[in-house]
Coordinates of all heavy atoms in Angstrom, one line a residue:
K270 N 0.1 3.1 18.6 CA -1.0 2.9 19.5 C -2.3 2.6 18.8 O -3.1 1.7 19.2 CB -1.2 4.0 20.5 CG -2.2 3.8 21.5 CD -2.3 5.0 22.5 CE -3.3 4.7 23.6 NZ -3.5 5.8 24.5
L271 N -2.5 3.3 17.7 CA -3.7 3.1 16.9 C -3.7 1.8 16.1 O -4.7 1.1 15.9 CB -4.0 4.3 16.0 CG -4.3 5.6 16.6 CD1 -4.2 6.7 15.6 CD2 -5.7 5.6 17.3
A272 N -2.5 1.5 15.5 CA -2.4 0.4 14.6 C -1.0 -0.1 14.7 O -0.1 0.3 13.9 CB -2.8 0.8 13.2
P273 N -0.7 -1.1 15.6 CA 0.7 -1.6 15.7 C 1.2 -2.2 14.4 O 0.4 -2.8 13.6 CB 0.6 -2.6 16.8 CG -0.6 -2.2 17.6 CD -1.6 -1.6 16.6
D274 N 2.5 -2.1 14.2 CA 3.2 -2.8 13.1 C 2.6 -2.3 11.7 O 2.5 -3.1 10.8 CB 3.1 -4.3 13.2 CG 3.7 -4.8 14.5 OD1 4.7 -4.3 14.9 OD2 3.0 -5.7 15.1
T275 N 2.3 -1.0 11.6 CA 1.8 -0.5 10.4 C 2.8 -0.1 9.4 O 2.7 -0.1 8.2 CB 0.8 0.7 10.7 OG1 -0.3 0.2 11.5 CG2 0.3 1.4 9.5
V276 N 4.0 0.4 10.0 CA 5.0 1.0 9.2 C 6.0 -0.1 8.7 O 6.5 -0.8 9.6 CB 5.8 2.1 9.9 CG1 6.9 2.7 9.0 CG2 4.8 3.2 10.3
Q277 N 6.2 -0.2 7.5 CA 7.2 -1.2 6.9 C 8.4 -0.4 6.3 O 8.2 0.2 5.3 CB 6.5 -2.1 5.9 CG 7.5 -3.2 5.3 CD 6.8 -4.1 4.4 OE1 5.5 -4.3 4.4 NE2 7.5 -4.8 3.5
V278 N 9.5 -0.5 6.9 CA 10.7 0.2 6.4 C 11.4 -0.6 5.4 O 11.2 -1.8 5.2 CB 11.6 0.6 7.6 CG1 10.9 1.5 8.5 CG2 12.1 -0.6 8.3
G279 N 12.4 0.0 4.7 CA 13.1 -0.7 3.7 C 12.3 -1.2 2.5 O 12.6 -2.2 1.9
T280 N 11.2 -0.5 2.3 CA 10.2 -0.9 1.2 C 10.0 0.2 0.3 O 9.5 1.3 0.7 CB 8.9 -1.4 1.9 OG1 9.2 -2.4 2.9 CG2 8.0 -1.9 0.8
Q281 N 10.3 0.0 -1.0 CA 10.1 1.1 -2.0 C 9.1 0.8 -3.0 O 9.1 -0.3 -3.6 CB 11.5 1.3 -2.7 CG 11.5 2.6 -3.6 CD 12.9 2.9 -4.0 OE1 13.9 2.2 -3.7 NE2 13.0 3.9 -4.9
A282 N 8.2 1.7 -3.2 CA 7.2 1.5 -4.3 C 7.8 1.8 -5.7 O 8.5 2.8 -5.8 CB 6.0 2.4 -4.0
A283 N 7.4 1.0 -6.7 CA 8.0 1.2 -8.0 C 6.9 1.8 -8.9 O 7.2 2.7 -9.8 CB 8.5 -0.1 -8.6
S284 N 5.6 1.4 -8.8 CA 4.6 1.9 -9.7 C 3.2 1.5 -9.1 O 3.2 0.8 -8.0 CB 4.7 1.3 -11.1 OG 4.6 -0.1 -11.0
Y285 N 2.2 1.9 -9.8 CA 0.8 1.5 -9.4 C 0.0 1.2 -10.7 O 0.3 1.7 -11.7 CB 0.1 2.5 -8.5 CG -0.1 3.9 -9.2 CD1 -1.2 4.1 -10.0 CD2 0.8 4.9 -9.0 CE1 -1.4 5.3 -10.6 CE2 0.6 6.1 -9.7 CZ -0.5 6.3 -10.5 OH -0.7 7.5 -11.1
T286 N -1.0 0.4 -10.5 CA -1.9 0.1 -11.6 C -3.3 0.2 -11.0 O -3.5 -0.1 -9.8 CB -1.7 -1.3 -12.2 OG1 -1.8 -2.3 -11.2 CG2 -0.3 -1.3 -12.9
H287 N -4.3 0.5 -11.8 CA -5.7 0.6 -11.4 C -6.4 -0.7 -11.6 O -6.1 -1.4 -12.6 CB -6.4 1.7 -12.2 CG -5.8 3.1 -12.0 ND1 -5.8 3.8 -10.8 CD2 -5.0 3.8 -12.9 CE1 -5.2 5.0 -11.0 NE2 -4.7 5.0 -12.2
H288 N -7.3 -1.0 -10.8 CA -8.3 -2.1 -11.1 C -9.7 -1.6 -10.8 O -9.9 -0.5 -10.3 CB -7.9 -3.4 -10.4 CG -7.8 -3.3 -8.9 ND1 -8.9 -3.3 -8.1 CD2 -6.7 -3.3 -8.1 CE1 -8.6 -3.3 -6.9 NE2 -7.2 -3.3 -6.8
T289 N -10.6 -2.5 -10.9 CA -12.0 -2.1 -10.9 C -12.4 -1.3 -9.7 O -13.1 -0.2 -9.7 CB -12.9 -3.3 -11.1 OG1 -12.6 -4.0 -12.2 CG2 -14.4 -2.8 -11.2
H290 N -12.0 -1.7 -8.5 CA -12.5 -1.1 -7.3 C -11.4 -0.5 -6.4 O -11.6 -0.3 -5.2 CB -13.3 -2.1 -6.4 CG -14.5 -2.7 -7.1 ND1 -15.6 -1.9 -7.4 CD2 -14.8 -3.9 -7.6 CE1 -16.5 -2.6 -8.0 NE2 -16.1 -3.8 -8.1
G291 N -10.2 -0.4 -7.0 CA -9.1 0.1 -6.2 C -7.8 0.3 -6.9 O -7.8 0.6 -8.1
V292 N -6.7 0.0 -6.3 CA -5.4 0.3 -6.8 C -4.4 -0.9 -6.4 O -4.6 -1.5 -5.3 CB -4.8 1.6 -6.4 CG1 -4.7 1.7 -4.9 CG2 -3.6 2.0 -7.1
R293 N -3.5 -1.1 -7.2 CA -2.5 -2.2 -7.0 C -1.1 -1.5 -7.0 O -0.7 -0.9 -8.0 CB -2.6 -3.2 -8.0 CG -1.6 -4.4 -7.9 CD -2.0 -5.6 -8.7 NE -3.2 -6.1 -8.1 CZ -4.2 -6.8 -8.8 NH1 -4.0 -7.0 -10.1 NH2 -5.2 -7.3 -8.2

């Protein structure tokens, strides 16, 4: 109700990297 289509299933994170103002 707050944010339709927000959840993406079948999706796995492998890693993250930092950048100047956030994260990748």
Side-chain angles (χ1 to χ4, degrees):
K270 184 175 181 181
L271 292 169
D274 303 320
T275 294
V276 180
Q277 182 175 336
V278 297
T280 306
Q281 188 171 358
S284 63
Y285 63 84
T286 59
H287 302 288
H288 59 76
T289 306
H290 299 293
V292 61
R293 181 162 291 154

